[in-house]
Amino acid sequence: MRSISILVADDEEEIATLISIHLEKEGYQVRTVSDGEEAVRAVESQVFDLLILDIMMPKMDGYEVTRRIREHHNMPIIFLSAKTSDFDKVQGLVIGADDYMIKPFAPIELVARVNAQLRRFMKLNQPKADTNQKTCVEYGGMVISPEERTVTLYGKCIELTPKEFDILYLLASHPKKVFNVENIFQQVWGEAYLEGGNTVMVHIRTLRKKLEEDKHKTKWIKTVWGVGYTFNG
């Protein structure tokens, strides 16, 4: 069985070394790079199961690295940054990161988050044994393919981040069922709900924009005030 490989991109050598030590104790193979361009080249030349990216790096920041990687790759990405504002966290999650940790951090918490992201990602990518399972969800002009992880709306391909896709597929697979933010977070992020409410709301807000609800005058995702969200199929 292939060892799980993790890329750590951080221009602070001490931090990269600290992360490597703790991840290697867990049995992971770790490669470190010190700038954004090197991170992109590493992903193009080697298979990684998870990335840990600093935001402020030389040559290319973590946001741009994530944009480029998301064009062709779907592994979990964790941002590790000294940026503490809600705007920075939201921007990172919207661009395509799966988690965001603030420096200084507790190595044991980082390892726990790495383990959680890997468990969730590997579970989602296991082959389905049930051949009778419905492969596509279709409502009106929307077609959602879980096998290809694609969404088309009136014939137009909609580009979604992994988390946006997972939220949409969860809701659309259970039309009219109301999910609260805690339940959405637990099922999509695959970990215990702590303070994920704002994260869920941000993803749903950007998802609605990408589905062009205002343009098509269709509320695909309906807010049930005081309860949660439901797919209005």
Side-chain angles (χ1 to χ4, degrees):
M1 183 178 177
R2 181 178 67 84
S3 297
I4 294 176
S5 185
I6 297 175
L7 177 68
V8 178
D10 197 310
D11 61 326
E12 296 184 68
E13 184 178 351
E14 297 83 0
I15 291 179
T17 300
L18 177 66
I19 295 171
S20 297
I21 291 171
H22 284 273
L23 292 178
E24 287 169 353
K25 285 181 180 178
E26 293 288 306
Y28 299 130
Q29 290 188 346
V30 183
R31 176 177 173 183
T32 62
V33 296
S34 58
D35 65 65
E37 289 183 357
E38 194 177 358
V40 173
R41 288 196 299 269
V43 171
E44 296 302 327
S45 62
Q46 182 180 342
V47 175
F48 291 100
D49 299 283
L50 181 141
L51 310 183
I52 298 174
L53 304 179
D54 186 19
I55 293 178
M56 299 302 293
M57 291 187 290
K59 298 183 180 179
M60 186 186 299
D61 65 28
Y63 296 139
E64 183 60 25
V65 171
T66 300
R67 288 191 191 95
R68 297 199 184 191
I69 288 173
R70 283 292 181 234
E71 292 176 1
H72 304 289
H73 304 280
N74 195 34
M75 77 287 282
I77 295 176
I78 299 176
F79 274 154
L80 188 62
S81 176
K83 289 175 170 285
T84 61
S85 73
D86 288 340
F87 174 81
D88 292 311
K89 297 176 190 177
V90 168
Q91 185 177 3
L93 294 169
V94 168
I95 286 172
D98 298 277
D99 202 351
Y100 191 111
M101 284 194 69
I102 297 172
K103 298 178 181 178
F105 61 95
I108 190 172
E109 181 183 356
L110 176 60
V111 170
R113 295 196 185 203
V114 166
N115 291 338
Q117 290 294 335
L118 289 170
R119 281 197 305 271
R120 175 190 165 277
F121 182 74
M122 291 176 179
K123 181 178 179 180
L124 287 175
N125 285 274
Q126 286 178 350
K128 302 294 187 298
D130 183 7
T131 56
N132 294 321
Q133 184 176 358
K134 189 175 181 180
T135 57
C136 289
V137 176
E138 299 185 32
Y139 292 101
M142 182 183 295
V143 180
I144 308 171
S145 172
E147 289 189 351
E148 299 177 356
R149 294 184 66 82
T150 58
V151 177
T152 56
L153 187 60
Y154 304 112
K156 175 185 175 183
C157 184
I158 307 298
E159 297 292 335
L160 301 180
T161 68
K163 288 294 189 297
E164 289 166 356
F165 179 90
D166 291 340
I167 291 172
L168 179 61
Y169 185 68
L170 173 66
L171 298 178
S173 297
H174 305 83
K176 306 302 181 183
K177 178 178 178 178
V178 180
F179 290 85
N180 61 36
V181 292
E182 179 177 355
N183 193 241
I184 292 172
F185 188 85
Q186 289 174 337
Q187 294 201 47
V188 172
W189 273 261
E191 56 188 273
Y193 177 85
L194 296 174
E195 297 179 356
N198 188 55
T199 299
V200 171
M201 289 186 285
V202 167
H203 279 75
I204 287 180
R205 185 162 63 243
T206 57
L207 183 55
R208 282 170 162 164
K209 289 180 181 178
K210 291 182 179 181
L211 295 177
E212 299 179 328
E213 290 192 342
D214 292 337
K215 176 180 177 181
H216 297 294
K217 305 207 181 302
T218 302
K219 279 287 183 185
W220 294 105
I221 300 174
K222 180 181 177 182
T223 300
V224 181
W225 295 108
V227 184
Y229 302 94
T230 184
F231 187 80
N232 194 30

